[in-house]
Amino acid sequence: MPYGGQASRQSYRQLYVSHISLTNFRSYRQVDLELGTGTTVLAGPNGVGKTNIAEALGYLASLSSHRVSNDAPLIHFGADQALVRARIHRAQQAVGLELEITAGKTNRARINRANPVRAREITGIVRTVLFAPEDLALVKGDPSERRRYIDETLVAFQPHQAATKSDYDRVLKQRNALLKSARSAGRLSTSHEATLSVWDQHLAAAGSKLLRGRLDILDALQGHLSDAYAGLTDGSKAAVATYSSSIAGGSEAEDGTLKGNGAASALDGRALVDMDEGELHAMFLGALEAQRNRELDRGLTLVGPHRDDLVLWLGTAPAKGYASHGETWSLALSLRLAVYRAFCQDDPRPGAKPILILDDVFAELDVSRRRKLAHVVADAEQVIVTAAVVDDVPEELQGRILTVGPGTVSA
């Protein structure tokens, strides 16, 4: 139930978290929060644990953290396991989730206190879209940041693609090990060559499926990205994302940046977008063959989705290196808002709108952008905001305020 008594009939048509409990998660030994529809502001000084709560909510949806790449830091120092429990309301159903996070082991989950299942079984029960200052790296950072964004979005919309990504990463690891072995031997033996051909097929099969998924998701996000950016700015520049594929000639430089000025990448994306999975598979195999000698010299796979990039544009210039500080913030926000809007369009049924989490966003925005952001997210059914200073949050979003202190949360 939402805080304050009986849920209204309208609230039963929404998606929201009414309760979350953290045990040995980050800085919290134990904390329990009652939440509700509308906006909840988690207010308190920096470093007291506001973001830990936002992170836990995001983890329930994505099974990953927006701050760290592995689970160990999520577990309270000295503990063996962290628990995240939540009550999820969607349309006319309520579901209890429990997620066990154990460093170095497979995470487990329970649905309505049933027997434990693999954590990925809960994917899709709760949807969140989280924006945090770390998202500035989507614009300013290396291609790996943007690859992570598109893959996490793909899995959020199509949970089965998590297996595709896992298969691709596994095959890539095996193929790289073989290339390193051949490099150490100083030659490509008959055995190496036969095995490499097998791994080429497996890599192209998983890679073409992953690439097709990325292209489809990018196409779904494109219009929403443009609209979101226009809503946060004066609309004088259009925000566009194009896909640069290494199998079509785009490539990542040694320092992790995109080679060239990005002009070719837009052509790559347009050339690929109409290809089916079979055509992408054939192109992938051709690219592997063309790079064979270089890969043997390097002992590394040089083409594939793991070397691709999203190129972000503002007007006619690439955003990276050209966008102002304000434009960078607006574009990073727009990338997340595009996902939110795509979720709403993809599934218009009651209870399908994602929970929107804005972690420490408003302190870095000027007054105009704060108000525009508040207007853009006004139709969200549940918004969780963290802020060091409540006055930074526009009045339109100042709903229920919870005060966060070291290890504590109070109304």
Side-chain angles (χ1 to χ4, degrees):
M1 294 268 183
Y3 68 92
Q6 295 291 320
S8 68
R9 182 175 299 177
Q10 173 66 26
S11 71
Y12 277 125
R13 300 201 298 270
Q14 300 171 332
L15 169 65
Y16 67 98
V17 176
S18 63
H19 180 88
I20 185 167
S21 172
L22 308 180
T23 303
N24 289 328
F25 186 91
R26 288 282 194 179
S27 60
Y28 294 102
R29 279 292 189 184
Q30 181 65 47
V31 68
D32 295 89
L33 284 79
E34 297 296 326
L35 302 172
T37 55
T39 301
T40 299
V41 179
L42 302 174
N46 292 330
V48 297
K50 303 185 302 295
T51 292
N52 297 345
I53 298 169
E55 183 179 29
L57 285 165
Y59 196 99
L60 278 175
S62 65
L63 302 181
S64 64
S65 164
H66 68 287
R67 303 159 77 190
V68 292
S69 59
N70 66 82
D71 291 342
L74 304 181
I75 302 172
H76 189 86
F77 185 75
D80 297 323
Q81 183 185 75
L83 295 177
V84 179
R85 300 181 182 91
R87 190 71 171 166
I88 312 299
H89 299 258
R90 183 168 183 171
Q92 296 181 4
Q93 296 182 334
V95 179
L97 295 184
E98 180 179 301
L99 184 60
E100 303 172 356
I101 304 171
T102 308
K105 295 183 180 180
T106 301
N107 294 337
R108 307 285 284 176
R110 294 176 188 268
I111 302 173
N112 290 331
R113 298 184 179 180
N115 292 330
V117 296
R118 290 175 298 179
R120 68 183 184 185
E121 297 295 326
I122 69 171
T123 303
I125 292 178
V126 59
R127 287 175 165 179
T128 65
V129 174
L130 187 153
F131 178 82
E134 288 84 355
D135 283 335
L136 292 179
L138 295 177
V139 181
K140 300 169 65 176
D142 292 341
S144 60
E145 301 287 348
R146 292 177 287 278
R147 289 194 292 265
R148 181 181 178 183
Y149 163 80
I150 198 69
D151 287 340
E152 287 181 347
T153 304
L154 174 60
V155 171
F157 278 87
Q158 302 173 20
H160 69 276
Q161 293 283 10
T164 303
K165 181 64 165 59
S166 179
D167 287 345
Y168 182 81
D169 291 342
R170 176 181 55 81
V171 174
L172 178 64
K173 183 178 179 180
Q174 295 289 340
R175 189 175 187 273
N176 281 341
L178 181 63
L179 288 170
K180 290 176 183 177
S181 176
R183 182 189 182 195
S184 298
R187 64 188 181 87
L188 185 64
S189 67
T190 302
S191 175
H192 281 139
E193 188 169 5
T195 307
L196 188 58
S197 295
V198 172
W199 286 124
D200 284 356
Q201 289 290 338
H202 288 314
L203 191 73
S208 57
K209 186 175 182 179
L210 179 60
L211 177 55
R212 183 64 264 168
R214 285 182 177 181
L215 292 169
D216 289 341
I217 284 297
L218 183 60
D219 183 60
L221 295 177
Q222 198 71 254
H224 298 301
L225 172 63
S226 178
D227 290 345
Y229 188 79
L232 292 174
T233 64
D234 61 7
S236 61
K237 296 180 181 178
V240 177
T242 58
Y243 194 89
S244 175
S245 171
S246 54
I247 72 168
S251 60
E252 185 181 319
E254 298 300 322
D255 63 356
T257 59
L258 186 72
K259 286 184 178 179
N261 61 11
S265 62
L267 299 176
D268 296 340
R270 285 198 295 270
L272 293 174
V273 72
D274 293 326
M275 291 186 178
D276 61 28
E277 196 174 311
E279 292 170 315
L280 293 173
H281 183 274
M283 179 178 282
F284 202 148
L285 288 175
L288 290 172
E289 181 64 29
Q291 294 291 331
R292 179 63 52 86
N293 289 335
R294 288 187 65 229
E295 289 186 337
L296 290 170
D297 289 341
R298 295 280 307 280
L300 192 67
T301 302
L302 297 177
V303 294
H306 65 291
R307 304 281 289 190
D308 294 354
D309 194 9
L310 293 184
V311 184
L312 303 173
W313 302 82
L314 290 179
T316 59
K320 186 174 182 178
Y322 290 88
S324 68
H325 182 68
E327 288 173 334
T328 298
W329 269 91
S330 295
L331 183 54
L333 270 168
S334 298
L335 287 166
R336 294 300 184 190
L337 291 172
V339 177
Y340 172 79
R341 290 180 170 182
F343 265 133
C344 295
Q345 178 175 294
D346 178 68
D347 190 351
R349 294 175 300 172
K353 284 186 178 181
I355 297 162
L356 192 59
I357 304 170
L358 304 175
D359 179 28
D360 199 22
V361 170
F362 292 102
E364 291 291 337
L365 301 179
D366 58 34
V367 173
S368 175
R369 282 187 170 89
R370 289 177 188 175
R371 290 175 176 169
K372 287 179 178 179
L373 176 58
H375 176 75
V376 167
V377 305
D379 66 341
E381 293 170 348
Q382 185 175 39
V383 184
I384 308 297
V385 178
T386 73
V389 180
V390 174
D391 289 345
D392 287 342
V393 182
E395 290 184 3
E396 299 91 326
L397 286 179
Q398 286 187 14
R400 186 187 185 213
I401 298 175
L402 299 178
T403 302
V404 182
T408 65
V409 181
S410 59

